Amino acid sequence: MAEPRIRTTRHRTTVPADPDQVYALLADAGQWPQVFTPTVHAEVAEVPDGDQQLIHLWALANGEVRDWTSRRTLDPAARRITFRQVVSSPPVASMGGEWQVDAAPDGGSEVTLLHDWTTVDDDEAAADWIGQAVERNSTAELEALSRAVTPGPDGEPLRFAFADSVDAEGPAEAVYEFLARAELWPERLPHVGRLDLTEQGDVQRMEMVTRAPDGSEHTTVSLRVLRPEQHTLVYKQTVLPAALASHTGRWTVEPHGAGVRITSWHGVTLDVDGVARLLGPDTSLADARARVRHNLGANSTTTLRHAKEFAEQIAQQAAQQAAEQQGAAWTR
């Protein structure tokens, strides 16, 4: 039987940043959902060899969320990262490639992205589909990389992150159920006006209309990856408010004292032109950061408070039922 055909591509761009800074960003796969448009979620596991990583990725491919596991080899001295999928998602049979970062002759960095792949049964139509996805994602990733390392007009980074937490005296399972059952949020959360949810496996697509503290309404679309075994839920907005270039988030439920700590994490990248259109041309990025922090944090805190109340109500009901059963046992 003939060997399957190996397809290859090469993409290259120059970005306005120091090569070591660019390499560090590429090496930190945990930041990829915030930086790269196609990447929805990334989980990184170190392996015994110190320069190796296993990465479980969820990413958009021609509009569909696919997931796979890749092994990466990091070479910071050469500023090179090679990768090879160890668990692929059909119709991909194999996929690998390389990131290479070099100093550009006129300053900045020259970034090269290589791919090679084969298809299940060497299918030509599948090869075309994969090629389109690789072309679209590689172009988007290199453009996003350039944006990520370009500072804002005030010289400050456009990306920032923050978190809010509450403690609850209730079971982690109840909190996670509240967060995962987003189709019930219009009934449960005052700032959610409408929500449409579709689910496939561990991935949800959520279209939501929310009301900000200033009274404005925003329609957003998010992709959410459910990790129930970790009591964690991560998301990435694919349709955003005008002032944001990207927005990712994570809900975590962790043991804390006699109960749990519920945390809402946000990663945000501002859109300079969007800030000017939405908030006015004289709005500084510092003011925009403060407003975005306030609006997102206010809605998250509302969700956290209601999740806490839901879990504590479940705990109270369970305690009451246990007491009633114990009382009934004494009367027998």
Side-chain angles (χ1 to χ4, degrees), residues 151-307:
D154 60 0
E156 293 295 321
L158 297 175
R159 290 184 293 133
F160 65 102
F162 61 93
D164 297 294
S165 299
V166 300
D167 296 335
E169 296 180 359
E173 293 76 13
V175 175
Y176 184 81
E177 189 269 348
F178 184 95
L179 297 172
R181 294 292 305 278
E183 75 274 14
L184 300 178
W185 283 6
E187 306 166 21
R188 292 175 165 178
L189 296 174
H191 63 280
V192 177
R194 177 181 61 80
L195 192 146
D196 297 322
L197 187 76
T198 57
E199 192 166 5
Q200 183 173 357
D202 59 3
V203 177
Q204 295 178 335
R205 181 186 184 276
M206 185 171 78
E207 182 172 332
M208 180 170 61
V209 176
T210 57
R211 290 179 288 271
D214 60 10
S216 60
E217 288 193 345
H218 304 278
T219 299
T220 59
V221 176
S222 298
L223 296 170
R224 311 204 310 169
V225 178
L226 308 180
R227 309 301 282 157
E229 70 282 1
Q230 304 169 8
H231 293 141
T232 297
L233 191 155
V234 299
Y235 62 89
K236 177 168 186 166
Q237 288 189 344
T238 57
V239 176
L240 301 122
L244 306 187
S246 66
H247 175 210
T248 61
R250 184 170 79 255
W251 299 94
T252 60
V253 187
E254 300 173 306
H256 183 74
V260 295
R261 173 160 292 173
I262 319 165
T263 304
S264 170
W265 306 82
H266 293 270
V268 175
T269 304
L270 293 177
D271 182 325
V272 175
D273 294 334
V275 167
R277 289 194 305 270
L278 184 67
L279 304 178
D282 297 329
T283 303
S284 69
L285 290 185
D287 288 342
R289 282 189 286 270
R291 186 175 300 195
V292 168
R293 168 66 175 97
H294 172 72
N295 286 349
L296 292 179
N299 284 347
S300 293
T301 300
T302 298
T303 304
L304 290 169
R305 187 177 69 250
H306 282 77

Side-chain angles (χ1 to χ4, degrees), residues 3-252:
E3 289 292 322
R5 178 182 170 188
I6 299 174
R7 276 83 172 179
T8 63
T9 60
R10 176 189 296 265
H11 293 82
R12 180 175 292 170
T13 192
T14 301
V15 299
D18 177 79
D20 290 330
Q21 177 191 355
V22 176
Y23 174 84
L25 185 58
L26 293 172
D28 186 359
Q31 294 193 60
W32 284 15
Q34 184 63 28
V35 174
F36 295 135
T37 304
T39 307
V40 177
H41 179 48
E43 293 181 359
V44 181
E46 304 290 339
V47 295
D49 190 342
D51 63 352
Q52 301 276 314
Q53 291 179 328
L54 283 177
I55 304 179
H56 191 177
L57 285 170
W58 288 256
L60 284 164
N62 292 336
E64 302 176 21
V65 177
R66 300 296 182 104
D67 73 292
W68 61 87
T69 300
S70 292
R71 182 182 297 273
R72 299 204 307 170
T73 302
L74 308 178
D75 185 348
R79 292 191 293 266
R80 179 183 301 113
I81 302 169
T82 58
F83 56 90
R84 179 68 51 187
Q85 291 184 7
V86 295
V87 178
S88 300
S89 179
V92 176
S94 68
M95 174 80 74
E98 178 181 302
W99 289 94
Q100 177 66 52
V101 183
D102 297 298
D106 298 326
S109 302
E110 188 174 83
V111 182
T112 303
L113 175 57
L114 307 176
H115 282 95
D116 64 80
W117 73 90
T118 62
T119 64
V120 175
D121 298 327
D122 208 20
D123 183 82
E124 192 66 31
D128 290 342
W129 186 91
I130 296 168
Q132 292 169 16
V134 169
E135 177 64 31
R136 183 177 293 109
N137 284 5
S138 297
T139 300
E141 286 175 350
L142 291 176
E143 290 174 351
L145 181 65
S146 182
R147 289 194 300 270
V149 297
T150 302
D154 60 0
E156 293 295 321
L158 297 175
R159 290 184 293 133
F160 65 102
F162 61 93
D164 297 294
S165 299
V166 300
D167 296 335
E169 296 180 359
E173 293 76 13
V175 175
Y176 184 81
E177 189 269 348
F178 184 95
L179 297 172
R181 294 292 305 278
E183 75 274 14
L184 300 178
W185 283 6
E187 306 166 21
R188 292 175 165 178
L189 296 174
H191 63 280
V192 177
R194 177 181 61 80
L195 192 146
D196 297 322
L197 187 76
T198 57
E199 192 166 5
Q200 183 173 357
D202 59 3
V203 177
Q204 295 178 335
R205 181 186 184 276
M206 185 171 78
E207 182 172 332
M208 180 170 61
V209 176
T210 57
R211 290 179 288 271
D214 60 10
S216 60
E217 288 193 345
H218 304 278
T219 299
T220 59
V221 176
S222 298
L223 296 170
R224 311 204 310 169
V225 178
L226 308 180
R227 309 301 282 157
E229 70 282 1
Q230 304 169 8
H231 293 141
T232 297
L233 191 155
V234 299
Y235 62 89
K236 177 168 186 166
Q237 288 189 344
T238 57
V239 176
L240 301 122
L244 306 187
S246 66
H247 175 210
T248 61
R250 184 170 79 255
W251 299 94
T252 60

